[in-house]
Amino acid sequence: GDSVTQMEGPVTLSEEAFLTINCTYTATGYPSLFWYVQYPGEGLQLLLKATKADDKGSNKGFEATYRKETTSFHLEKGSVQVSDSAVYFCALRGPGGYNKLIFGAGTRLAVHP
Amino acid sequence: DAMVIQNPRYQVTQFGKPVTLSCSQTLNHNVMYWYQQKSSQAPKLLFHYYDKDFNNEADTPDNFQSRRPNTSFCFLDIRSPGLGDAAMYLCATSLPGGPNLYEQYFGPGTRLTVT
């Protein structure tokens, strides 16, 4: 079945460092792809999305490009801040149901000053 | 602000004692979801409602039930909690169409402990 694999954390960076969190997927066809973020003590929030191949989603300085050739949707940010510390989830819209999401296991990011 | 609210944030129950978790939303969304998230794992969809139409995932145990009395509220009932049911339970909502078709709005979650 459809699945999402993302790099294990935690990822620990210094402020202003470059961030990459890898995400690859297995799916039938070309599903919509998402990055959700979960800040401490809060629910998941949509960070960005891409609905077709070669689309680039972007928000708050984060970017991810839908690469069908490599079935990937890596998350990047040029300069992280302490406030970006959170858990990041890659997800795809699964088959059947209304907007069923299939999530990766999450990657914890810790940014220190 | 429109939002998804989950109560309580922390729930402790005893092995085998029924427990109910609550979710309410002020977004007026048609679709509501319940996810189970165990420590360091991905959220796993248990079931969802489209209005009053209930959709159970094939691998959701019978021990888990849900009720949606109206658009705003949805409940998760665990009839006989086992130690393996200790997890974070996430409620989410979405619209079935429109420009934000694929976005789900999550509540903060209820962390369930089974003793």
Side-chain angles (χ1 to χ4, degrees), chain A residues 31-60:
Chain A
S32 296
L33 301 172
F34 309 86
W35 278 100
Y36 277 79
V37 58
Q38 186 173 30
Y39 297 104
E42 298 183 15
L44 279 70
Q45 303 172 25
L46 179 65
L47 180 60
L48 54 83
K49 66 185 180 188
T51 58
K52 60 183 186 294
D54 300 326
D55 268 1
K56 176 184 283 188
S58 61
N59 185 26
K60 300 182 181 179

Side-chain angles (χ1 to χ4, degrees), chain A residues 6 32 34 36 38 40-47 49-51 87 89-90 93 95-106 108, chain B residues 9 31 33 35 37 40-45 48 50 53 55 57 88 90 94-97 99-109:
Chain A
Q6 57 183 107
S32 296
F34 309 86
Y36 277 79
Q38 186 173 30
E42 298 183 15
L44 279 70
Q45 303 172 25
L46 179 65
L47 180 60
K49 66 185 180 188
T51 58
V87 181
F89 292 90
C90 186
R93 181 172 181 261
Y98 278 91
N99 304 336
K100 175 180 177 176
L101 292 177
I102 296 172
F103 288 91
R108 182 174 299 279
Chain B
R9 294 290 306 275
V31 192
Y33 310 80
Y35 290 86
Q37 185 182 20
S40 302
Q41 296 184 21
K44 179 180 176 299
L45 183 64
H48 75 273
Y50 181 5
D53 183 19
N55 298 273
E57 292 299 300
M88 177 74 82
L90 300 169
S94 74
L95 288 166
N100 296 323
L101 168 63
Y102 302 122
E103 181 170 353
Q104 291 190 16
Y105 298 77
F106 283 82

Side-chain angles (χ1 to χ4, degrees), chain B residues 6 11 21 29 43 47 49 53 55 59 88 94-95 114-115:
Chain B
Q6 291 189 245
Q11 175 75 57
L21 308 182
H29 284 174
F47 25 61
Y49 275 94
D53 183 19
N55 298 273
D59 56 356
M88 177 74 82
S94 74
L95 288 166
V114 181
T115 61

Side-chain angles (χ1 to χ4, degrees), chain A residues 1-39:
Chain A
D2 293 8
S3 64
V4 175
T5 303
Q6 57 183 107
M7 63 188 288
E8 289 189 21
V11 174
T12 303
L13 296 173
S14 297
E15 204 164 24
E16 298 183 3
F18 185 86
L19 168 71
T20 300
I21 300 178
N22 290 337
C23 171
T24 57
Y25 67 90
T26 301
T28 304
Y30 303 107
S32 296
L33 301 172
F34 309 86
W35 278 100
Y36 277 79
V37 58
Q38 186 173 30
Y39 297 104

